[in-house]
Amino acid sequence: MAAAISLRSYLLVSALDKSPRNITLVFPDIGMEHCWNIDHLPWSAFSHPSKKMYYYDIVDKLDPDLVEAMQPHLVNVSPKASPVDKKLHQNAASAFLYLFLSLGSKNFSGCTYTLRSTIPIGAGLGSSASICVCLSSAILLQLRTLSGPHPDQPADEAELQIERINRWAFVGEMCIHGNPSGVDNTVATGGKAVVFKRGDYRSPPTVTPVRDFPELPLLLVNTGQSRSTATEVAKVATLKKAHAAIVEPILEAIDKITESAYDLVTSSAFDPKISDSVQMFGDLMQINHGLLAALGVSHPKLERIRELIDSMDLGWAKLTGAGGGGSAIALLNSNASPSNLQSLQSKFDEEGFEKYETTLGGEGVGVLWPAVLHNDFKDKGTEQIDQAAFLNAKGVEGIEKLVGVGVGASEKREGWKFWSNAGPHVNKEIAQKPISG
């Protein structure tokens, strides 16, 4: 089971004059900016009749010829950056270009695509998937191949838009990760939570939306420890090969935990405001972490976070993502002591852990349009949320104050609108895109 968190990525698309015909990807949170001349991109490769893709196509693998055709246009992305940063920047550029060239055309107008993210990068929280969802939905909106979102949109029509965005976001994820599961982009697009099962890549995954997933307040703690999903997956595969009789029951038990969690949160008796309900969910988190640790995908820093939370009787913590570092999530006791919470914060500060207060089970992709702030004085009209304002927003708080979700800005700003697979829905205090998020 995977659930959306309230931290988000946001994308602002700014149209340029007809000349010069450039597209620019700006991602200040990772120190990236790169510009391409539209006319110089490899359109001949992407528009060849044997290669051409359309917005309604299902793409389950990258075309190696098209990947190769992009390489000359990626090699000069951040050439002076460190090897780690250069790889990060070129991965983002690769996802953007593959989507742009697959869906767009040489007649596209020049644009600047500015990304901001409140999600820690490389912490196992699906930041790349969130970014790919932004890119996918923005380009599809530019092509006018998406309808809505709007309050009267039928649920089945909204579901089609979500599916279309998700399919192309998965293509972006393949550019970055090679062989992603698809779960991160699925939950980032649809929001709330999903039960996701993929047997193999020869058949589509089974996705069961959990549309009534309750919003649960969480602590998200970034260890700052880098990790590799591929390394952790390979580690489990090696262990399973060597000790199949032991590892397979562990994997089956993890599956049973997922089923139990689904049954729990979809039960009419579950109430996140009742301590017994929270206790049962927390118990499942704790068991799940123990089984993952037995598979060798925990890390001393993750165990330290769990130790601190356990020792202060504050709640239940587990690793998230592929493990091996990255982040932990913690569900707090409703009666957690304020003094212990303060002590926990002090310990996190001392040991270099970064804490975020977030909510589990939020909305998926949405659109903020028009992207304007209303002035306090009626005669002064409105103020556009332009690229300068977007770039100058400082840190997570600045981004959220300007365009964020659930910041109580409805009197100052139009409401974010979402494609909701649970039926028509607009929440004027919750946001995410053009600004796209």
Side-chain angles (χ1 to χ4, degrees):
M1 181 183 290
I5 58 173
S6 56
L7 300 179
R8 288 177 175 264
S9 297
Y10 300 91
L11 172 63
L12 174 66
V13 181
S14 308
L16 303 177
D17 293 334
K18 291 184 179 180
S19 181
R21 285 175 35 77
N22 293 334
I23 52 167
T24 304
L25 183 62
V26 182
F27 196 172
D29 301 310
I30 61 171
M32 179 202 172
E33 179 172 346
H34 195 80
C35 180
W36 295 269
N37 184 298
I38 295 173
D39 296 323
H40 296 167
L41 292 172
W43 295 108
S44 59
F46 278 80
S47 60
H48 190 277
S50 65
K51 304 290 185 182
K52 177 62 182 171
M53 290 169 279
Y54 297 91
Y55 69 90
Y56 48 76
D57 287 337
I58 298 175
V59 181
D60 57 6
K61 61 182 178 181
L62 301 180
D63 187 311
D65 294 334
L66 300 183
V67 172
E68 183 178 353
M70 289 197 309
Q71 296 315 302
H73 305 275
L74 297 173
V75 69
N76 290 323
V77 173
S78 304
K80 296 182 180 179
S82 69
V84 172
D85 287 343
K86 185 176 181 180
K87 182 179 180 182
L88 181 66
H89 297 179
Q90 291 186 347
N91 280 344
S94 175
F96 169 67
L97 276 188
Y98 202 96
L99 294 183
F100 184 82
L101 289 164
S102 297
L103 293 167
S105 76
K106 198 172 183 178
N107 298 323
F108 241 60
S109 301
C111 286
T112 298
Y113 298 81
T114 307
L115 280 158
R116 300 299 306 270
S117 184
T118 63
I119 307 172
I121 306 296
L125 296 170
S127 58
S128 66
S130 179
I131 289 162
C132 289
V133 169
C134 285
L135 293 172
S136 169
S137 51
I139 295 172
L140 289 168
L141 281 167
Q142 286 182 284
L143 291 169
R144 299 184 180 182
T145 58
L146 295 176
S147 64
H150 55 78
D152 301 321
Q153 190 165 35
D156 57 348
E157 182 180 294
E159 183 69 40
L160 177 62
Q161 316 313 308
I162 291 171
E163 182 181 353
R164 190 167 289 162
I165 294 168
N166 186 36
R167 286 176 178 175
W168 284 100
F170 180 65
V171 174
E173 280 279 84
M174 286 193 288
C175 292
I176 295 172
H177 297 297
N179 192 27
S181 69
V183 65
D184 286 348
N185 51 277
T186 299
V187 77
T189 307
K192 293 299 180 180
V194 298
V195 176
F196 184 98
K197 288 186 178 182
R198 181 187 285 277
D200 57 52
Y201 284 81
R202 291 170 294 183
S203 57
T206 301
V207 179
T208 305
V210 188
R211 292 169 179 158
D212 296 325
F213 191 91
E215 293 194 358
L216 297 168
L218 289 181
L219 291 185
L220 189 154
V221 189
N222 184 7
T223 64
Q225 177 66 42
S226 61
R227 20 67 78 205
S228 163
T229 298
T231 298
E232 299 308 311
V233 170
K235 190 186 297 182
V236 175
T238 300
L239 194 66
K240 182 180 177 183
K241 186 176 180 180
H243 305 284
I246 298 170
V247 172
E248 286 180 3
I250 294 176
L251 295 174
E252 290 171 6
I254 291 173
D255 213 29
K256 289 294 184 185
I257 290 171
T258 301
E259 293 174 8
S260 297
Y262 175 78
D263 291 342
L264 177 64
V265 299
T266 56
S267 165
S268 60
F270 184 83
D271 185 342
K273 296 177 182 179
I274 297 176
S275 59
D276 286 349
S277 292
V278 176
Q279 171 81 48
M280 291 178 71
F281 194 82
D283 288 344
L284 291 173
M285 288 177 59
Q286 187 164 296
I287 298 167
N288 179 253
H289 178 89
L291 293 172
L292 292 169
L295 293 175
V297 296
S298 188
H299 186 275
K301 290 185 178 180
L302 292 167
E303 296 304 322
R304 177 58 176 160
I305 291 167
R306 290 190 68 248
E307 179 188 359
L308 289 171
I309 291 170
D310 284 349
S311 66
M312 298 181 190
D313 195 26
L314 291 173
W316 307 265
K318 69 175 291 293
L319 65 84
T320 188
S327 298
I329 56 172
L331 178 66
L332 297 180
N333 275 323
S334 57
N335 58 354
S337 160
S339 61
N340 281 351
L341 286 171
Q342 184 57 51
S343 298
L344 181 68
Q345 180 64 64
S346 298
K347 285 289 187 182
F348 284 165
D349 292 341
E350 289 173 13
E351 301 186 28
F353 298 137
E354 193 172 16
K355 185 197 78 175
Y356 299 82
E357 294 183 10
T358 184
T359 303
L360 197 65
E363 296 281 2
V365 64
V367 176
L368 176 61
W369 180 256
V372 296
L373 295 173
H374 298 293
N375 197 287
D376 288 330
F377 303 98
K378 292 182 180 179
D379 58 337
K380 292 188 178 180
T382 59
E383 176 186 354
Q384 184 178 4
I385 302 174
D386 58 13
Q387 189 193 27
F390 197 45
L391 286 173
N392 290 331
K394 302 295 183 185
V396 172
E397 289 185 4
I399 297 169
E400 291 293 347
K401 185 176 180 181
L402 182 68
V403 296
V405 176
V407 293
S410 58
E411 294 181 2
K412 292 280 188 181
R413 193 182 65 213
E414 295 297 323
W416 281 90
K417 300 172 182 68
F418 299 92
W419 288 279
S420 174
N421 53 16
H425 175 65
V426 175
N427 186 329
K428 293 200 173 182
E429 292 189 15
I430 294 185
Q432 235 182 348
K433 267 178 184 168
I435 289 176
S436 169

